[in-house]
Amino acid sequence: MAFVISSKLFIVLVVLFQFFTSSQLKECVCALCRIDTLPDNCTEIDGHIQIGLESEMPPFELIEFKLKKLAKLTGCLLIANSGLTSLKFLSNLRTVIYAQTGNSETCSVYGNAITLAKNNLLRRLYLDSLEEIDVTRGADYGLYISLNPSLCITEKEVEIFFNTSRFYAPHMNICDPTRMYCALDTQGFFDDTNIQEGCQVLTDSLVLNGSTPNTSEQFQNRLNDIEQIFGSIIVLNTKLTSLKFPKLWRIYNFQQRSISWRSS
């Protein structure tokens, strides 16, 4: 026997659903949001969150409790010089809209929607839910990651971050890679002397500078497997007549904050 819902019952169910979902949302407003004074269970925050620059950083348990339900931030997020090992407490964060709010100058000083910098113990991000970073109100970068020596980023996160606006994370380390990522021990660039055989992803720029770069068959063979470059290709003052990357399909230039695509 088919079960039929009357129009009146349907309306009641819709109203109850809207009431239930709206009751789960809680918007919190603050200029410079202190973790210890932030209301509990905020799902949306209008303001600036700063963690790690305080003389006494709040306990991790308090940070996790206050931010674990956060899904949307209008303002900016700064985590720097903290003792955090992960950002799992932000695993529900989906949307960040860069904005200047209140009297705080935090966002104008750092210029990014999300800044993660100089966190020596930070190992994982867990930002798998992040969908949108809106920088149309003047941010320099959407997600800025720099000088976190223990941090590795998953391939899933890399794809998520590449699809947000103005992602910056040069010299990144990849967790559990499924491709051969080639990185340099020092902050520099690849050239015709230091590309390993079998590299599929270069995590720094490729720079060929000089009148007689290595144009041997061996060097060309090392270019044949490259699929992605996290940086730029720069060719200066050479006598090269061709440079072939048969499998290259992505170049992401952090400095220019752009993605270039080509068909494989």
Side-chain angles (χ1 to χ4, degrees), residues 24-209:
Q24 303 304 305
L25 300 177
K26 182 175 182 179
E27 183 176 1
C28 304
V29 179
C30 48
L32 180 57
C33 305
R34 290 179 54 89
I35 297 297
D36 54 353
T37 59
L38 193 68
D40 298 344
N41 301 316
C42 296
T43 58
E44 299 182 8
I45 292 178
D46 188 342
H48 309 327
I49 301 174
Q50 177 177 296
I51 300 173
L53 296 181
E54 306 92 336
S55 57
E56 294 185 5
M57 199 177 90
F60 173 78
E61 292 77 13
L62 180 61
I63 297 173
E64 181 180 37
F65 177 74
K66 294 289 187 176
L67 298 179
K68 64 183 179 180
K69 294 186 178 181
L70 180 63
K72 179 180 179 181
L73 171 67
T74 301
C76 70
L77 170 65
L78 168 67
I79 301 178
N81 298 304
S82 76
L84 297 174
T85 59
S86 84
L87 304 185
K88 201 166 187 176
F89 54 86
L90 293 174
S91 60
N92 289 316
L93 182 62
R94 295 194 302 272
T95 303
V96 177
I97 301 174
Y98 177 84
Q100 296 290 342
T101 60
N103 297 320
S104 172
E105 296 182 352
T106 301
C107 285
S108 60
V109 170
Y110 294 95
N112 310 311
I114 303 176
T115 301
L116 309 175
K118 300 180 180 179
N119 300 286
N120 291 334
L121 301 180
L122 186 61
R123 296 185 178 90
R124 294 291 298 272
L125 297 180
Y126 298 106
L127 296 177
D128 294 347
S129 298
L130 191 62
E131 297 175 353
E132 178 187 9
I133 301 179
D134 186 332
V135 296
T136 56
R137 301 183 189 180
D140 290 335
Y141 289 97
L143 175 56
Y144 181 96
I145 303 176
S146 180
L147 301 177
N148 305 285
S150 302
L151 177 64
C152 71
I153 302 174
T154 67
E155 290 180 321
K156 179 181 178 180
E157 288 174 326
V158 169
E159 293 303 317
I160 291 172
F161 300 160
F162 277 161
N163 287 318
T164 62
S165 298
R166 300 182 185 175
F167 171 47
Y168 181 90
H171 320 296
M172 71 174 83
N173 295 317
I174 304 297
C175 310
D176 304 320
T178 61
R179 303 177 181 88
M180 183 171 176
Y181 289 79
C182 293
L184 299 172
D185 294 334
T186 58
Q187 293 189 5
F189 49 81
F190 289 97
D191 56 29
D192 53 308
T193 66
N194 59 5
I195 298 178
Q196 302 175 39
E197 187 174 350
C199 288
Q200 294 174 288
V201 182
L202 302 184
T203 61
D204 293 279
S205 295
L206 172 61
V207 179
L208 301 177
N209 186 7

Side-chain angles (χ1 to χ4, degrees), residues 193-261:
T193 66
N194 59 5
I195 298 178
Q196 302 175 39
E197 187 174 350
C199 288
Q200 294 174 288
V201 182
L202 302 184
T203 61
D204 293 279
S205 295
L206 172 61
V207 179
L208 301 177
N209 186 7
S211 58
T212 57
N214 187 341
T215 57
S216 67
E217 182 179 352
Q218 182 183 24
F219 174 60
Q220 180 59 57
N221 288 339
R222 293 182 178 182
L223 301 182
N224 289 342
D225 292 324
I226 296 175
E227 300 173 2
Q228 303 180 62
I229 297 177
F230 299 165
S232 307
I233 298 176
I234 301 173
V235 181
L236 298 170
N237 303 315
T238 76
K239 295 181 180 179
L240 287 172
T241 58
S242 67
L243 200 59
K244 298 178 181 179
F245 297 87
K247 295 183 180 179
L248 182 65
W249 63 275
R250 171 191 277 160
I251 300 174
Y252 191 98
N253 187 326
F254 292 110
Q255 295 295 336
Q256 297 298 321
R257 300 171 294 196
S258 63
I259 301 179
S260 299
W261 300 87

